[in-house]
Amino acid sequence: MVDTIVIAARVHSLAPETAEGADAVAITDGRITAVGPRAEILPLAEAATELITHASATIVPGLVDAHSHPIYSLGIVRGLSLTGVHTYAELVAALERGRDEQAGDEWFLAWGLDPTAFEGRPIGNAALHEVLGSDRPAYIKMFDAHSGIASASALARAGIDAPVTHPDGSGAVGDEGGRLTGHLIEFPTMEIVERTLPVLGFDDRVAQLHRLLSDMAAVGITAAHVMDLQDDDALDLLAAIEASGDLPVRLRISPWVTPETTDAEVAALVGMQGRGGRRYRVEGVKFFIDGTVEGGTAWLSRPDAEGEGLSSTWTPAEDYAERVRQFDDAGVPTATHAIGEQGIRFVAETLAALPKGGVPHRIEHIESVEDDVIAMIGANGIVASMQPTHCTHHVRRDGSDDWSRRLGAERASRAWRTADVRRSGAVLALGSDWPVAAFDPWEILADAQGRRSVAMAGSAPVGPEQALTAVEALEGYTSHAHRAVASDGGRLVPGAPADLVVVDRDPLAASPEELLGARVLLTLVDGKPTVGP
């Protein structure tokens, strides 16, 4: 018996075999039974069939955020949001507001700060001290999640008493006089301070995670590729949610592999593959070949404007290549964070050298990349996973942002070449990298087409020739996101899981401005509503 029939003005199945004029989807036991014109679908209904009609809306496949950190974000999105801060005056004003909001807390916490807000000043804790004083423990997680700012009190609690720079570029920054600035670079150093922060209780984390996943479902996200398993209790959190109901969003989780990962830990990661629950599972692993441009830790072919960027996270980098080969031999797909042009090149060459026909491997971010590397990615079946709003929110057309300034005009002109990657024949999966950027897929789809921050009036496009078409953008969140993990999903066809979204406008006909205001009317996962009707 058909359980549900969803009717709208149109269906974009992203499958060429779908009948012309399709505007209805039939669902049975959590799977799609039929897609076509309502005149053909409605006769399938029986007395108990639920009919859901949104006469002027559009049905599309469920949206997949191909790069997200929902569990890890619980330890980042704490305190004051600084995501809308763009100048030093705005930073000081925001800190003053946050000081009042967190007056009763021992620690002051904030997150999401773009270094461009320092307007050329050294990145450090001067603003924290100006507003809060140096005696209050305070910590800001920067927008890229690869750097932070700690007050003098926070540094003292963590036992950091002198500047240090490690071979991979990580460390605690000092000024010309050898005094700590409070600027911390990359995870190993940041974690020293983060271990001293107040700890959230398990039940609070369960509730917070469930709210976050519900918020994702409310904007049409039915699945996310989770690029970490850093929290010791991550799987326990998910199991706790599933003990009382279904996850609102399917989660595919890829634990990190670092240069410190031992052979025994590699074997354990291989053994973890497939572990999970009804709507979450461990699948694949995540590497880092470098850090970030803004932090000076991206692996570049020549130094950036600060004389930095010549190191890989892996030294020697061939150790990374050997680990990737081990996982490929074991049938485990990999994803590698690669941002600088030399890092992207090395990863692409490593993946291109693997035996053909194996599991899919992907490169995450690909911020500035050369022509021949794009061709290599396309020719060798390497998946590109990119985040359009990283460009549109943090890069300025005039090159005045920190990312462009560090790279220089030539490399900055190669920013986020989504169209060229897609034209190469590569699978292009799109995502947010939440909490680095907001997870609203409609803003990301809008910016991918407009190549500017559509939400910010008057913003200038960055690399407009790299704009995606409406179809390419939607595929990046549906069929290509599934192809990135060797799944045939992301299309509304008979037999597929009934993961779909009903949205109040046509995403293939709406302008970027219209797309920004899209309202999701219904999200189904396995044919069950996670939001609506």
Side-chain angles (χ1 to χ4, degrees), residues 55 67 69 80 106 115 218 231 238 258 264 266 300 310 316 321 339 371 420 447 462 494 512:
H67 190 120
H69 301 275
L80 177 69
E106 179 187 13
D231 298 72
L238 297 172
T258 71
V266 167
L300 308 173
L310 294 181
I339 282 179
D371 291 348
D420 287 342
D447 283 19
V462 177

Side-chain angles (χ1 to χ4, degrees), residues 105-125:
D105 300 333
E106 179 187 13
W107 277 81
F108 175 88
L109 301 175
W111 63 281
L113 180 61
D114 187 324
T116 302
F118 285 88
E119 297 183 301
R121 298 173 177 82
I123 298 171
N125 54 23

Side-chain angles (χ1 to χ4, degrees), residues 64-415:
V64 180
D65 189 327
H67 190 120
S68 185
H69 301 275
I71 305 170
Y72 190 45
S73 76
L74 301 181
I76 296 175
V77 184
R78 301 178 63 182
L80 177 69
S81 172
L82 298 173
T83 56
V85 169
H86 302 289
T87 68
Y88 195 77
E90 290 175 352
L91 172 59
V92 172
L95 292 177
E96 290 173 343
R97 184 177 69 253
R99 175 193 59 198
D100 297 337
E101 293 171 351
Q102 300 182 43
D105 300 333
E106 179 187 13
W107 277 81
F108 175 88
L109 301 175
W111 63 281
L113 180 61
D114 187 324
T116 302
F118 285 88
E119 297 183 301
R121 298 173 177 82
I123 298 171
N125 54 23
L128 283 174
H129 292 169
E130 176 184 340
V131 176
L132 304 170
S134 60
D135 293 334
R136 185 172 182 184
Y139 184 62
I140 299 173
K141 192 93 163 190
M142 300 296 279
F143 89 98
D144 61 3
H146 283 251
S147 55
I149 299 173
S151 68
S153 175
L155 293 171
R157 290 192 180 204
I160 299 175
D161 56 9
V164 61
T165 300
H166 300 294
D168 62 0
S170 65
V173 178
D175 62 17
E176 293 180 352
R179 296 175 293 269
L180 286 165
T181 67
H183 190 197
L184 308 176
I185 305 295
E186 292 297 341
F187 305 114
T189 309
M190 294 156 57
E191 287 169 358
I192 298 173
V193 170
E194 290 171 6
R195 285 195 290 268
T196 69
L197 299 181
V199 177
L200 295 174
F202 182 82
D203 290 343
D204 289 337
R205 285 164 58 78
V206 170
Q208 187 177 346
L209 178 58
H210 191 268
R211 285 194 300 270
L212 172 62
L213 296 177
S214 297
D215 289 344
M216 290 180 169
V219 292
I221 296 173
T222 59
H225 299 168
V226 180
M227 290 294 163
D228 68 85
L229 190 60
Q230 290 306 99
D231 298 72
D232 293 338
D233 61 355
L235 298 183
D236 295 331
L237 294 172
L238 297 172
I241 294 175
E242 285 202 337
S244 58
D246 288 323
L247 291 177
V249 175
R250 299 183 192 275
L251 301 179
R252 176 190 185 270
I253 304 168
S254 298
W256 287 0
V257 179
T258 71
E260 292 74 38
T261 303
T262 65
D263 290 341
E265 290 167 337
V266 167
L269 288 172
V270 172
M272 284 185 69
Q273 299 299 303
R275 178 181 171 187
R278 294 189 301 276
R279 287 186 179 169
Y280 69 94
R281 70 183 185 279
V282 174
E283 183 177 313
V285 292
K286 165 80 176 299
F287 287 84
F288 292 82
I289 198 66
D290 61 2
T292 67
V293 170
E294 292 86 349
T297 52
W299 188 12
L300 308 173
S301 58
R302 61 183 188 278
D304 65 13
E306 303 289 327
E308 298 175 328
L310 294 181
S311 299
S312 168
T313 303
W314 292 72
T315 305
E318 180 52 38
D319 288 353
Y320 155 83
E322 176 57 30
R323 282 296 193 211
V324 169
R325 287 190 287 268
Q326 288 178 327
F327 282 105
D328 183 70
D329 289 344
V332 177
T334 69
T336 301
H337 165 121
I339 282 179
E341 74 274 2
Q342 184 59 34
I344 300 167
R345 178 179 295 278
F346 186 84
V347 174
E349 290 173 346
T350 297
L351 300 181
L354 296 174
K356 307 307 178 190
V359 293
H361 300 283
R362 45 196 279 184
I363 306 178
E364 308 296 316
H365 307 309
I366 313 182
E367 292 189 1
S368 178
V369 64
E370 295 154 314
D371 291 348
D372 63 320
V373 178
I374 291 178
M376 188 189 313
I377 290 170
N380 288 279
I382 300 168
V383 173
S385 171
M386 301 178 72
Q387 300 76 44
T389 50
H390 285 199
C391 177
T392 59
H393 286 191
H394 300 290
V395 176
R396 299 173 182 171
R397 187 172 183 173
D398 64 4
S400 62
D401 59 281
D402 204 50
W403 186 90
S404 299
R405 180 189 63 79
R406 274 186 173 265
L407 288 185
E410 177 190 352
R411 288 186 289 200
S413 70
R414 301 194 293 257

